[in-house]
Amino acid sequence: MMKLMLLFLTLNLQLVTGAPEQVHLAFYNTPWDISVSWITFEESDAVLTFGTSASNFVNKTGNTTSWEFGGIIRHSHVVILDNLKPSTLYYYKIADRQFSFRTLTADLTSYKVCVFGDLGVFNGRSTQSIINNGIAGKFDFIVHIGDLAYDLHSNNGKLGDQYMNLLEPVISKIPYMVIAGNHENDGKNFTNFKNRFTMPQNGGKDNQFYSIDIGPVHWTGLSTEYYGFVEDYGNASIFTQFNWLKNDLEKANSNRGNVPWITLFQHRPFYCSVELAADCTLYENVVLRHGALGLPGLEPEYIQNSVDIGFAGHMHAYERMWPVANMKYYHGKEAYHNPVAPVYILTGSAVS
Ligand SMILES: *[C@@H]1O[C@H](CO)[C@@H](O)[C@H](O)[C@H]1NC(C)=O
Ligand SMILES: *[C@@H]1O[C@H](CO)[C@@H](O)[C@H](O)[C@H]1NC(C)=O
Ligand SMILES: *[C@@H]1O[C@H](CO)[C@@H](O)[C@H](O)[C@H]1NC(C)=O
Ligand SMILES: *[C@@H]1O[C@H](CO)[C@@H](O)[C@H](O)[C@H]1NC(C)=O
Ligand SMILES: [Fe+2]
């Protein structure tokens, strides 16, 4: 009984102090620019202190966005730490909470990425392993290809808060790159998704599409949800993204001398062989691949610009495709050697 009382007291205290929570990192426009994001439930400044040792800590300020969802006002803060030095351990402190992260090595010829889709609070069977392996330095950043928390907006966003706090030990230490899945539609045009994250700014400004060069790989993230929710939010974003993608991939393809690989990530797959999804012959897969009813499909751009690897989630399964284009698979022992078409990996089993 006493213990319970104490617990309640602690929780209440946390609420009134407006402590920073849900602290997480992401690459901003280059691997040497890191966005630090967090939430408070009381108004406070977007300011943190950082440095490589106690003797050189400096303050850095950023921006705050206050937003309402389900009657709760959250204050999202973001500070950009730019022009960071490679292979360097940085400490940062928000209010009285201290964290640290290490930047990538200068040459970037080798790094490890943890890519998955579909991870929830309940039944998140990979959560502990992602946290442990991330903290142990087994990978350098995370790409979560949509469907977060199940859902970020559930219970007026409190499940999203819980999820971000659950992952904080790892995502306050290594960059957490996200795109939206169907579960990020909160009925308010992805308000939770837009306001909780800070992705690179060279694409849409809503974290749904962007690209970044990291060493030998050009990474491009896309929204399949503009298609999925075209009835709710209109088709303008589909065309904006498509025109941007065309340009992004053409530029990346002509820059192979510097950045030889092109990797795409999106929530819903073009191809799969899981029974539930009828081998991805559903309308949602067809429209994404080839387009329909005047909406542009994405696969021709992938083929045209020789995309190397495409990651997707949504189906709670793991599958690696043969190289494939226009529904034609290229089988054989040598198929993966200089493949003639993109290779897709489905990794949507993180899981919930
Ligand atoms: C840094 O920010 C903290 C928190 O807002 C503030 O208390 C402190 O005075 C600032 N220090 C400097 C040198 O501006
Ligand atoms: C912060 O706000 C300024 C002014 O609106 C803007 O130029 C800048 O891009 C914003 N930074 C971030 C990280 O959102
Ligand atoms: C939804 O948000 C996007 C940008 O994130 C915006 O371009 C679009 O106009 C919005 N649509 C509606 C219906 O509010
Ligand atoms: C896109 O939306 C506009 C406005 O609703 C509509 O007039 C137009 O026909 C749509 N285009 C396609 C290809 O669906
Ligand atoms: Fe999904």
Side-chain angles (χ1 to χ4, degrees):
M1 197 60 183
M2 278 306 282
K3 259 194 178 149
L4 258 181
M5 293 284 289
L6 220 62
L7 193 69
F8 275 114
L9 261 176
T10 319
L11 284 177
N12 278 332
L13 274 176
Q14 266 207 343
L15 281 178
V16 292
T17 56
E21 55 172 76
Q22 309 176 44
V23 177
H24 58 105
L25 309 177
F27 293 122
Y28 199 52
N29 294 324
T30 81
W32 315 116
D33 305 318
I34 299 270
S35 64
V36 184
S37 305
W38 70 95
I39 281 179
T40 58
F41 288 87
E42 300 252 300
E43 275 184 53
S44 68
D45 294 329
V47 60
L48 59 74
T49 305
F50 87 111
T52 53
S53 75
S55 61
N56 64 12
F57 270 36
V58 291
N59 275 5
K60 186 98 203 268
T61 58
N63 294 347
T64 298
T65 307
S66 302
W67 53 287
E68 183 272 336
F69 185 83
I72 298 177
I73 294 172
R74 290 176 177 79
H75 307 279
S76 288
H77 310 279
V78 56
V79 170
I80 308 300
L81 307 179
D82 53 359
N83 288 311
L84 298 173
K85 284 181 288 188
S87 301
T88 302
L89 180 63
Y90 284 92
Y91 299 92
Y92 65 103
K93 202 169 165 188
I94 308 168
D96 57 359
R97 302 193 62 207
Q98 185 164 308
F99 305 89
S100 68
F101 66 92
R102 186 177 288 281
T103 49
L104 295 171
T105 56
D107 61 8
L108 285 176
T109 49
S110 168
Y111 57 82
K112 294 193 181 119
V113 193
C114 175
V115 185
F116 59 83
D118 311 78
L119 179 65
V121 171
F122 306 114
N123 197 30
R125 293 191 211 166
S126 314
T127 307
Q128 206 51 52
S129 137
I130 291 166
I131 293 171
N132 294 347
N133 285 296
I135 290 174
K138 297 281 176 61
F139 42 82
D140 298 292
F141 62 95
I142 294 171
V143 178
H144 186 159
I145 45 184
D147 284 4
L148 287 62
Y150 289 86
D151 297 330
L152 287 174
H153 56 273
S154 294
N155 194 11
N156 300 324
K158 288 183 193 159
L159 195 65
D161 301 331
Q162 192 185 336
Y163 173 84
M164 295 302 286
N165 282 327
L166 186 65
L167 288 187
E168 189 191 70
V170 63
I171 63 185
S172 61
K173 212 171 175 52
I174 66 172
Y176 183 49
M177 309 305 288
V178 296
I179 48 162
N182 51 305
H183 279 270
E184 277 64 71
N185 177 30
D186 55 9
K188 301 265 191 235
N189 204 357
F190 297 75
T191 294
N192 277 267
F193 187 73
K194 284 178 198 174
N195 287 306
R196 289 173 186 271
F197 299 100
T198 312
M199 292 298 118
Q201 299 294 300
N202 67 336
K205 301 294 183 246
D206 58 355
N207 301 319
Q208 295 212 45
F209 63 96
Y210 54 84
S211 66
I212 181 170
D213 288 340
I214 304 177
V217 183
H218 180 79
W219 293 86
T220 299
L222 293 180
S223 173
T224 52
E225 304 320 308
Y226 293 147
Y227 291 84
F229 297 99
V230 62
E231 304 267 312
D232 306 61
Y233 306 119
N235 60 34
S237 296
I238 293 178
F239 290 100
T240 308
Q241 173 176 261
F242 180 77
N243 292 331
W244 174 87
L245 176 70
K246 229 173 148 49
N247 186 258
D248 179 74
L249 289 184
E250 279 166 14
K251 271 190 354 210
N253 198 20
S254 62
N255 190 34
R256 297 268 186 181
N258 299 314
V259 182
W261 300 87
I262 302 179
T263 293
L264 264 287
F265 50 103
Q266 63 189 59
H267 182 62
R268 302 188 208 207
F270 293 157
Y271 297 100
C272 66
S273 61
V274 292
E275 273 174 42
L276 258 179
D279 294 351
C280 284
T281 55
L282 305 175
Y283 173 76
E284 69 177 64
N285 309 105
V286 174
V287 67
L288 285 170
R289 283 199 305 264
H290 305 127
L293 305 171
L295 300 176
L298 301 169
E299 193 192 19
E301 300 309 313
Y302 285 40
I303 298 169
Q304 184 101 32
N305 295 292
S306 308
V307 163
D308 297 290
I309 299 177
F311 289 102
H314 192 52
M315 309 303 165
H316 294 183
Y318 176 84
E319 296 185 23
R320 185 184 68 193
M321 312 293 148
W322 292 110
V324 53
N326 294 317
M327 309 281 285
K328 179 173 163 33
Y329 285 87
Y330 296 87
H331 302 262
K333 250 199 326 207
E334 296 293 317
Y336 291 117
H337 182 74
N338 287 330
V340 297
V343 172
Y344 296 101
I345 293 173
L346 185 68
T347 174
S349 48
V351 69
S352 191

